[in-house]
Amino acid sequence: MAPATTWTPLLLAGLAAARTCSNLTIPVSISSRQGQFKDVPAESNLDTGAFAQAFTQQGRNYSATLLEGFQTVTGNYSISAKFCYPDYGTGSTIQLLSHGIGFDKTYWDLSYNNYNYSYVEVAVEQGYSTLAIDRFGIGNSSHADPINIVQAQAEIEALNAVTTGLRAGTIPGISSTFEKVVHVGHSFGSVQSYWFSALYPNNTDGLVLTGYSANGSFLPVTVAAWNLHSARLNQPLRFGNSSNVGISTAVGSSDSGDGLIRGVQSLLAGAGIELTDQEVWEEIATTEVGNLITGYNQTGLKPLNYPSGYLVPADLTATQYVFLNPGFFDVGLAVLSEQTKQPVTVGEILTIGNAPKTSSFTGPVLVFTGDKDQPFCGSDCMNTGTDAESIPAETVTQFPRASVFEAYLQPNTGHGLTTHYNATAGYEVIQSWLAANGLGA
Ligand SMILES: *[C@@H]1O[C@H](CO)[C@@H](O)[C@H](O)[C@H]1NC(C)=O
Ligand SMILES: *[C@@H]1O[C@H](CO)[C@@H](O)[C@H](O)[C@H]1NC(C)=O
Ligand SMILES: *[C@@H]1O[C@H](CO)[C@@H](O)[C@H](O)[C@H]1NC(C)=O
Ligand SMILES: *[C@@H]1O[C@H](CO)[C@@H](O)[C@H](O)[C@H]1NC(C)=O
Ligand SMILES: *[C@@H]1O[C@H](CO)[C@@H](O)[C@H](O)[C@H]1NC(C)=O
Ligand SMILES: *[C@@H]1O[C@H](CO)[C@@H](O)[C@H](O)[C@H]1NC(C)=O
Ligand SMILES: *[C@@H]1O[C@H](CO)[C@@H](O)[C@H](O)[C@H]1NC(C)=O
Ligand SMILES: *[C@@H]1O[C@H](CO)[C@@H](O)[C@H](O)[C@H]1NC(C)=O
Ligand SMILES: *[C@@H]1O[C@H](CO)[C@@H](O)[C@H](O)[C@H]1NC(C)=O
Ligand SMILES: *[C@@H]1O[C@H](CO)[C@@H](O)[C@H](O)[C@H]1NC(C)=O
């Protein structure tokens, strides 16, 4: 392990490249040797709560308790992806983006405020092509059994298949081949990118692990704070089945939510309680009532019918605890993220901590984490209790052979980096680091 090179973020010249993007469906054939767990009840919210209790119990390894053996999962699945490149050409380096829990591929390219929070905009401006995938099991990628199929290892095999396809030029809809593939992750997507580098060290050219550290001590607090509920019960109109669309009629067909607000106001007025529009909206947006009606005013919405075993954090207050640094995020974007949130599977939670202890990857590694990250730093990355510089800096122990290792703390930022005001300034730092370490576009 060579000492980290000294580097200064370059002042990036704004090329303001126009970009071209396309939506792709990528077939992958995977074979994954992974855990076979006893069935975990997850029908009701009391079941999912009991699961979280057992998982976070001190001194217990619940994954080990449930493990019955191992099996090889094989199958042909599809990975949904968004491919973007500068109008002047695809270049030789592509960034392969893996989202974290609670999000899908749109995390990297939010259209909110005219793409003001977009990682992809920043990367494409510096000449990179990007491929943002929905991880296997999530979003518009294939869904599958949430306990014994959609586990970390299967998702990593899918990531490997996509990577190999990018190098070989076999991805339908991408006519270029790429010499270099840089793996950029967020949170569980970083865990998987790291894990992938341990299994297939020759299939990556560089790692950027955002919202990450090697310290798993804070995971139980995260899982408890999420207050996990069944996805199909929490947002029945998005994640339930067609029987649920009746909710739309029940809450009224107003096009802005105004009808609902008036309804709540007149109900409460009958009891002598007067709440302003704003007060009612805050109640709706920050509690599970908001989730219950998410999508009710969208015509033609087809609920995805996720099976039980697909879970979600209960509401915006749970999401804020884990992902957001109060005062430094746009509340409108937080509400939107809650409305468009994505589930996590029981199998993912049971396998999240099973990555190999080290990776023999020999290229450059950047860990890029908000200084107030909750899941990977306990909300204070500087408080190491030792003479280590920061908790993310200690991740160097996972990469004994990396040519360069750097840990960068993005100031005033929580775990969900993209949703903070200063996100894109941080994302420019990442592009500069890549260029300074032999991974320019
Ligand atoms: C890709 O899919 C998104 C979401 O459905 C849609 O908004 C967008 O227009 C599509 N983009 C292209 C280039 O087809
Ligand atoms: C928990 O048990 C699983 C399955 O035996 C194992 O892979 C994992 O490393 C254990 N986790 C910890 C933190 O000991
Ligand atoms: C996957 O597809 C390939 C070829 O399309 C086929 O040979 C193989 O049997 C399929 N595998 C599974 C597990 O369905
Ligand atoms: C974009 O973000 C910057 C801060 O990074 C802010 O000053 C600006 O007002 C934002 N623009 C829009 C359209 O939201
Ligand atoms: C995902 O697929 C649904 C239809 O199944 C479509 O409405 C939606 O726009 C797609 N979203 C993305 C981001 O691809
Ligand atoms: C990676 O490449 C090196 C050098 O070419 C080779 O020695 C090593 O066995 C390869 N490792 C794997 C896991 O393929
Ligand atoms: C929807 O799911 C519920 C159980 O959650 C079931 O009782 C009902 O029959 C399902 N409806 C349809 C149309 O599949
Ligand atoms: C209704 O839909 C609009 C846009 O589609 C959205 O901004 C608004 O938040 C929705 N209202 C509710 C109460 O979900
Ligand atoms: C994680 O960080 C905390 C606080 O800095 C520290 O006490 C603990 O030893 C670390 N755990 C691991 C496994 O590194
Ligand atoms: C925004 O992020 C950049 C890059 O990390 C940093 O240099 C700058 O200090 C940040 N600004 C604020 C106000 O936190």
Side-chain angles (χ1 to χ4, degrees):
M1 172 53 221
T5 49
T6 315
W7 59 283
T8 324
L10 311 169
L11 249 192
L12 298 170
L15 296 176
R19 61 179 190 159
T20 305
C21 296
S22 52
N23 297 322
L24 306 178
T25 301
I26 305 171
V28 294
S29 186
I30 63 170
S31 173
S32 174
R33 182 93 185 131
Q34 58 186 37
Q36 187 165 15
F37 294 105
K38 284 189 200 108
D39 198 30
V40 185
E43 291 291 328
S44 72
N45 290 336
L46 293 177
D47 291 336
T48 61
F51 169 72
Q53 254 174 306
F55 185 78
T56 58
Q57 191 178 63
Q58 61 127 330
R60 181 183 200 184
N61 182 338
Y62 191 46
S63 305
T65 307
L66 293 174
L67 190 68
E68 285 184 316
F70 291 88
Q71 64 174 337
T72 301
V73 169
T74 56
N76 295 323
Y77 297 103
S78 58
I79 296 297
S80 172
K82 184 173 184 180
F83 175 55
C84 295
Y85 58 93
D87 279 350
Y88 54 81
T90 50
S92 60
T93 305
I94 189 166
Q95 299 188 29
L96 178 40
L97 315 174
S98 297
H99 64 84
I101 289 172
F103 296 95
D104 61 12
K105 60 182 177 294
T106 61
Y107 171 82
W108 304 102
D109 195 28
L110 297 174
S111 59
Y112 190 79
N113 275 4
N114 197 23
Y115 293 92
N116 207 31
Y117 293 83
S118 168
Y119 182 94
V120 169
E121 284 273 307
V122 174
V124 170
E125 212 166 87
Q126 297 309 316
Y128 291 97
S129 290
T130 59
L131 185 76
I133 58 168
D134 282 346
R135 296 190 332 255
F136 168 55
I138 306 298
N140 279 6
S141 290
S142 302
H143 301 165
D145 178 281
I147 298 179
N148 284 318
I149 296 190
V150 183
Q151 295 180 5
Q153 178 89 30
E155 296 175 46
I156 291 155
E157 297 302 339
L159 180 62
N160 186 45
V162 172
T163 304
T164 301
L166 285 171
R167 293 188 195 282
T170 56
I171 306 271
I174 303 185
S175 51
S176 334
T177 58
F178 294 92
E179 269 166 47
K180 290 184 179 170
V181 184
V182 175
H183 290 84
V184 183
H186 171 238
S187 190
F188 191 33
S190 292
V191 170
Q192 293 186 14
S193 298
Y194 159 70
W195 190 330
F196 160 79
S197 83
L199 296 181
Y200 304 103
N202 293 355
N203 213 10
T204 181
D205 296 284
L207 292 175
V208 176
L209 308 176
T210 76
Y212 184 70
S213 81
N215 191 323
S217 320
F218 314 107
L219 180 65
V221 174
T222 305
V223 171
W226 268 335
N227 189 16
L228 289 167
H229 286 176
S230 167
R232 54 185 294 112
L233 297 176
N234 182 263
Q235 287 196 352
L237 291 172
R238 290 180 68 220
F239 299 137
N241 66 18
S242 55
S243 297
N244 299 126
V245 296
I247 289 173
S248 298
T249 341
V251 294
S253 56
S254 152
D255 55 2
S256 64
D258 281 4
L260 186 82
I261 289 171
R262 302 280 165 265
V264 171
Q265 275 171 333
S266 72
L267 204 70
L268 293 173
I273 300 165
E274 286 193 19
L275 295 181
T276 63
D277 284 12
Q278 185 62 24
E279 285 167 334
V280 174
W281 172 244
E282 281 174 13
E283 182 70 11
I284 289 172
T286 58
T287 65
E288 261 187 283
V289 177
N291 292 108
L292 184 68
I293 63 166
T294 289
Y296 87 90
N297 62 3
Q298 262 168 269
T299 48
L301 192 69
K302 289 194 186 61
L304 292 166
N305 199 16
Y306 275 102
S308 23
Y310 273 90
L311 317 178
V312 282
D315 62 21
L316 183 52
T317 59
T319 297
Q320 175 181 271
Y321 184 91
V322 173
F323 290 100
L324 299 168
N325 186 26
F328 294 90
F329 64 89
D330 178 332
V331 176
L333 178 51
V335 170
L336 181 68
S337 303
E338 182 65 22
Q339 290 174 331
T340 56
K341 70 185 174 185
Q342 294 291 332
V344 55
T345 72
V346 165
E348 290 182 313
I349 293 174
L350 290 175
T351 56
I352 198 168
N354 293 359
K357 294 277 173 280
T358 62
S359 164
S360 63
F361 177 55
T362 55
V365 179
L366 174 66
V367 174
F368 183 95
T369 298
D371 62 347
K372 300 290 189 299
D373 187 292
Q374 189 282 317
F376 290 87
C377 288
S379 305
D380 184 358
C381 291
M382 296 307 288
N383 190 2
T384 58
T386 64
D387 53 10
E389 201 182 313
S390 72
I391 296 173
E394 294 178 298
T395 310
V396 68
T397 57
Q398 290 189 324
F399 295 101
R401 299 183 60 199
S403 58
V404 174
F405 176 89
E406 187 91 21
Y408 186 92
L409 296 187
Q410 175 64 2
N412 300 317
T413 298
H415 182 60
L417 294 127
T418 288
T419 46
H420 292 76
Y421 287 126
N422 196 29
T424 54
Y427 290 158
E428 285 180 8
V429 170
I430 294 175
Q431 313 315 313
S432 301
W433 181 89
L434 289 171
N437 287 286
L439 296 167

